[in-house]
Amino acid sequence: MTTDTPGLDPEDRKIVTLARSARARNGVPEGAAVRDETGRTYVAGTVALDSLHLSALRTAVAMAVASGAKSLEAAAVVTDAEAASDEDRAAVRDLGGPETPVLVASPDGTVRETVSAG
Protein backbone atom coordinates (compact mmCIF):
# COMPACT_ATOMS: atom_id res chain seq x y z
CA MET A 1 0.00 0.00 0.00
CA THR A 2 1.60 3.27 -1.12
CA THR A 3 0.42 6.82 -1.47
CA ASP A 4 -0.66 8.29 -4.78
CA THR A 5 0.95 11.73 -4.43
CA PRO A 6 3.96 12.22 -6.72
CA GLY A 7 6.79 14.41 -5.44
CA LEU A 8 6.02 13.78 -1.78
CA ASP A 9 9.09 13.63 0.48
CA PRO A 10 9.89 9.97 1.32
CA GLU A 11 9.52 10.54 5.07
CA ASP A 12 6.14 12.23 4.56
CA ARG A 13 5.10 9.44 2.18
CA LYS A 14 5.92 6.98 4.97
CA ILE A 15 3.61 8.61 7.53
CA VAL A 16 0.79 8.89 4.99
CA THR A 17 1.20 5.19 4.14
CA LEU A 18 1.25 4.25 7.84
CA ALA A 19 -1.89 6.33 8.48
CA ARG A 20 -3.64 4.75 5.50
CA SER A 21 -2.69 1.27 6.70
CA ALA A 22 -4.00 1.92 10.22
CA ARG A 23 -7.33 3.12 8.84
CA ALA A 24 -7.72 0.10 6.58
CA ARG A 25 -6.44 -2.50 9.06
CA ASN A 26 -8.67 -1.33 11.90
CA GLY A 27 -11.73 -0.42 9.85
CA VAL A 28 -11.96 3.03 11.43
CA PRO A 29 -12.99 6.36 9.89
CA GLU A 30 -9.51 7.88 10.18
CA GLY A 31 -5.91 6.78 10.41
CA ALA A 32 -3.06 9.04 11.47
CA ALA A 33 0.68 9.02 11.99
CA VAL A 34 3.10 11.53 13.45
CA ARG A 35 6.90 11.73 13.27
CA ASP A 36 8.82 13.01 16.29
CA GLU A 37 12.05 14.96 16.48
CA THR A 38 14.13 11.77 16.38
CA GLY A 39 12.33 10.31 13.36
CA ARG A 40 10.24 7.81 15.34
CA THR A 41 6.67 7.35 14.12
CA TYR A 42 3.47 6.81 16.06
CA VAL A 43 0.41 5.41 14.31
CA ALA A 44 -3.21 5.38 15.46
CA GLY A 45 -6.80 5.04 14.38
CA THR A 46 -9.97 6.67 15.60
CA VAL A 47 -10.94 5.73 19.18
CA ALA A 48 -14.71 5.43 19.64
CA LEU A 49 -15.62 3.97 23.01
CA ASP A 50 -18.69 4.77 25.06
CA SER A 51 -16.54 6.75 27.49
CA LEU A 52 -13.77 8.00 25.20
CA HIS A 53 -13.80 9.58 21.74
CA LEU A 54 -10.54 10.64 20.09
CA SER A 55 -9.71 11.36 16.51
CA ALA A 56 -6.89 9.36 14.98
CA LEU A 57 -4.58 12.37 14.90
CA ARG A 58 -5.15 13.27 18.56
CA THR A 59 -4.58 9.61 19.48
CA ALA A 60 -1.29 9.55 17.54
CA VAL A 61 -0.13 12.74 19.28
CA ALA A 62 -1.08 11.26 22.66
CA MET A 63 0.90 8.11 21.85
CA ALA A 64 3.94 10.24 20.96
CA VAL A 65 3.69 12.19 24.22
CA ALA A 66 3.20 9.01 26.25
CA SER A 67 6.31 7.56 24.60
CA GLY A 68 8.47 10.55 25.51
CA ALA A 69 8.47 12.60 22.31
CA LYS A 70 9.50 16.21 22.90
CA SER A 71 8.45 17.62 19.52
CA LEU A 72 6.92 16.68 16.17
CA GLU A 73 8.36 17.09 12.69
CA ALA A 74 5.16 16.25 10.78
CA ALA A 75 1.71 14.71 11.03
CA ALA A 76 -0.58 12.97 8.56
CA VAL A 77 -4.24 12.01 8.67
CA VAL A 78 -6.14 9.85 6.18
CA THR A 79 -9.79 10.76 6.23
CA ASP A 80 -12.91 11.38 4.18
CA ALA A 81 -13.06 14.88 5.72
CA GLU A 82 -11.87 17.77 3.58
CA ALA A 83 -9.56 19.20 6.25
CA ALA A 84 -7.95 18.51 9.60
CA SER A 85 -10.15 19.77 12.42
CA ASP A 86 -9.11 22.72 14.57
CA GLU A 87 -8.82 20.35 17.55
CA ASP A 88 -6.50 18.02 15.62
CA ARG A 89 -4.30 20.88 14.49
CA ALA A 90 -4.20 22.20 18.07
CA ALA A 91 -2.92 18.86 19.37
CA VAL A 92 -0.17 18.83 16.74
CA ARG A 93 0.65 22.47 17.55
CA ASP A 94 0.87 21.73 21.28
CA LEU A 95 3.68 19.25 20.70
CA GLY A 96 5.24 20.38 17.43
CA GLY A 97 4.64 24.11 17.28
CA PRO A 98 2.62 26.23 14.86
CA GLU A 99 4.77 25.51 11.80
CA THR A 100 4.44 21.71 12.01
CA PRO A 101 3.01 20.46 8.70
CA VAL A 102 -0.21 18.44 8.78
CA LEU A 103 -0.80 16.37 5.65
CA VAL A 104 -4.46 15.62 4.96
CA ALA A 105 -4.93 12.65 2.63
CA SER A 106 -7.92 10.93 1.10
CA PRO A 107 -8.48 7.19 1.68
CA ASP A 108 -6.55 6.36 -1.50
CA GLY A 109 -3.47 8.08 -0.07
CA THR A 110 -3.59 11.21 -2.21
CA VAL A 111 -2.55 14.22 -0.15
CA ARG A 112 -5.29 16.81 -0.63
CA GLU A 113 -3.59 19.55 1.33
CA THR A 114 -0.74 20.33 3.66
CA VAL A 115 -1.48 22.92 6.32
CA SER A 116 0.47 24.21 9.27
CA ALA A 117 -0.66 23.27 12.75
CA GLY A 118 -0.66 26.98 13.60
Side-chain angles (χ1 to χ4, degrees):
M1 183 179 291
T2 60
T3 64
D4 296 330
T5 305
L8 194 62
D9 174 89
E11 291 300 314
D12 290 343
R13 183 181 309 279
K14 176 182 172 183
I15 61 172
V16 171
T17 299
L18 289 169
R20 186 176 178 212
S21 296
R23 181 181 186 269
R25 179 179 58 250
N26 298 324
V28 292
E30 295 181 338
V34 298
R35 184 175 61 247
D36 74 9
E37 75 282 0
T38 67
R40 291 179 296 183
T41 55
Y42 306 88
V43 182
T46 308
V47 174
L49 301 172
D50 289 341
S51 63
L52 179 64
H53 294 272
L54 291 172
S55 71
L57 193 48
R58 282 179 270 170
T59 303
V61 170
M63 291 173 65
V65 170
S67 297
K70 303 296 182 209
S71 182
L72 294 179
E73 291 182 347
V77 60
V78 173
T79 180
D80 286 323
E82 291 299 315
S85 72
D86 291 342
E87 295 85 1
D88 283 353
R89 290 181 30 249
V92 172
R93 183 176 57 243
D94 285 348
L95 187 57
E99 299 305 315
T100 306
V102 178
L103 293 84
V104 181
S106 60
D108 70 359
T110 302
V111 176
R112 287 193 296 259
E113 71 172 345
T114 302
V115 297
S116 70

